[in-house]
């Protein structure tokens, strides 16, 4: 019988070893744990930053959203509570609600050698000159009154610093120009309209020659106000001169009193009667 020989076993070609990951020999589950931990740290950091930014504006007392101002509470402190030491905003008083002055301004005015003590109530007498009437009126919207608008030789003039202004032609050597003006009273309002009129009369010396002195001619109540008339004496180039003047204050609701002031030098004495006319023409708007 033929001899049977066993053939050697066929071996499969060897396969190359698998390529390793760059991470090395770490198992994938360890990689996943590391990635998860890193993500958790990043999320926590972002949350902390957002929380800090959002709390930055609310941690400051008295601040709200940008562009808004917290309004103070209108309610007073509850019984037994201690008032806060932080000052609260107070409303700005309206002109009609100004605190009553202490009278020091009046005392100072009466101590001024240019201003004598006010006389007792005395009505304005009819002044020299001819009466010139006019039906035209000037409305002073700023002051809240209206008054006569004289015709020629009076004429409107640049009002500043007043609200309305009328003037007579300038006269050489008179010392100043005759004028009729109106405006809200330019000095501090006093406890009474009479005291305010006193300070206003003293203020009008700014519109007379330097060294002018007042001699009172009238002090009387008028409708919703007070009127003072006076002669103003001064020197011009060494010569004694004078003007006749008057100031009237009219109380206006919700505003400072309106002031009407007129002064006419003695070189235009024939127009002094216009002072009577002007003072009698004042009306509240």
């Amino acid at each position: 019988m033929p001899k049977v020989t066993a053939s050697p076993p066929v071996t499969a070609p060897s396969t190359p070893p698998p390529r390793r990951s760059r991470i090395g020999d770490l198992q994938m589950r360890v990689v996943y744990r590391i990635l998860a931990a890193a993500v958790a740290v990043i999320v926590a950091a972002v949350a902390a930053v957002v929380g800090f930014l959002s709390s930055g504006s609310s941690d400051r007392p008295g601040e709200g959203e940008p562009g808004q101002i917290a309004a103070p509470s209108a309610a007073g402190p509850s019984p037994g509570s201690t008032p806060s030491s932080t000052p609260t905003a107070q409303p700005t008083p309206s002109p009609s609600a100004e605190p009553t002055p202490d009278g020091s301004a009046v005392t100072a005015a009466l101590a001024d050698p240019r201003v004598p003590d006010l006389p007792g109530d005395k009505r304005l007498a009819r002044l020299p000159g001819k009466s010139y009437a006019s039906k035209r009126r000037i409305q002073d919207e700023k002051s809240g009154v209206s008054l006569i608008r004289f015709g020629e030789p009076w004429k409107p003039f640049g009002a500043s610093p007043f609200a309305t202004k009328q003037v007579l032609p300038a006269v050489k050597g008179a010392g100043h120009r005759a004028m009729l003006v109106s405006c809200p009273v330019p000095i501090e309002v006093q406890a009474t309209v009479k005291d305010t009129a006193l300070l206003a009369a003293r203020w009008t010396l700014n519109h007379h020659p330097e060294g002018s002195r007042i001699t009172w001619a009238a002090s009387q109540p008028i409708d919703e106000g007070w009127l003072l008339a006076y002669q103003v004496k001064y020197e011009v180039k060494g010569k004694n001169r004078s003007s006749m003047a008057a100031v009237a204050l009219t109380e206006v609701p919700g505003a400072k009193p309106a002031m009407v002031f007129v002064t006419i030098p003695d070189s235009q004495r024939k127009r002094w009667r216009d002072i009577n006319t002007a003072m009698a023409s004042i009306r509240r708007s």
Side-chain angles (χ1 to χ4, degrees), residues 255-276:
K256 296 182 71 173
M259 181 187 79
V260 176
F261 163 56
V262 57
T263 177
I264 303 175
D266 54 7
S267 56
Q268 294 169 309
R269 181 186 298 266
K270 64 180 181 180
R271 307 296 315 194
W272 279 6
R273 183 72 65 84
D274 291 347
I275 296 176
N276 296 91

Side-chain angles (χ1 to χ4, degrees), residues 29-46:
R29 64 175 179 272
V30 176
V31 175
Y32 293 151
R33 289 177 182 175
I34 293 175
L35 292 176
V39 171
V41 171
I42 294 173
V43 170
V46 171

Side-chain angles (χ1 to χ4, degrees), residues 110-183:
L110 294 176
D112 188 334
R114 303 173 302 165
V115 182
D117 291 343
L118 281 174
D121 290 3
K122 180 180 179 180
R123 298 192 64 81
L124 176 61
R126 182 176 295 179
L127 296 172
K130 182 180 178 181
S131 177
Y132 294 88
S134 174
K135 294 183 179 180
R136 295 186 298 172
R137 298 186 65 79
I138 290 180
Q139 186 70 40
D140 183 349
E141 299 288 351
K142 188 174 182 180
S143 306
V145 295
S146 65
L147 63 153
I148 189 171
R149 177 174 177 174
F150 284 118
E152 293 290 343
W154 289 93
K155 64 179 182 179
F157 200 74
S160 181
F162 305 101
T164 72
K165 185 175 184 179
Q166 302 173 67
V167 298
L168 285 173
V171 176
K172 186 177 181 180
H176 71 95
R177 190 171 187 175
M179 61 180 176
L180 169 61
V181 301
S182 67
C183 64

Side-chain angles (χ1 to χ4, degrees), residues 30 106 149 167 190 200 212 214-215 219 230 234 251 263 281:
V30 176
V106 175
R149 177 174 177 174
V167 298
Q190 301 299 300
S212 295
I214 285 176
T215 300
S219 176
Y230 44 99
Y234 47 87
E251 294 184 304
T263 177
S281 73

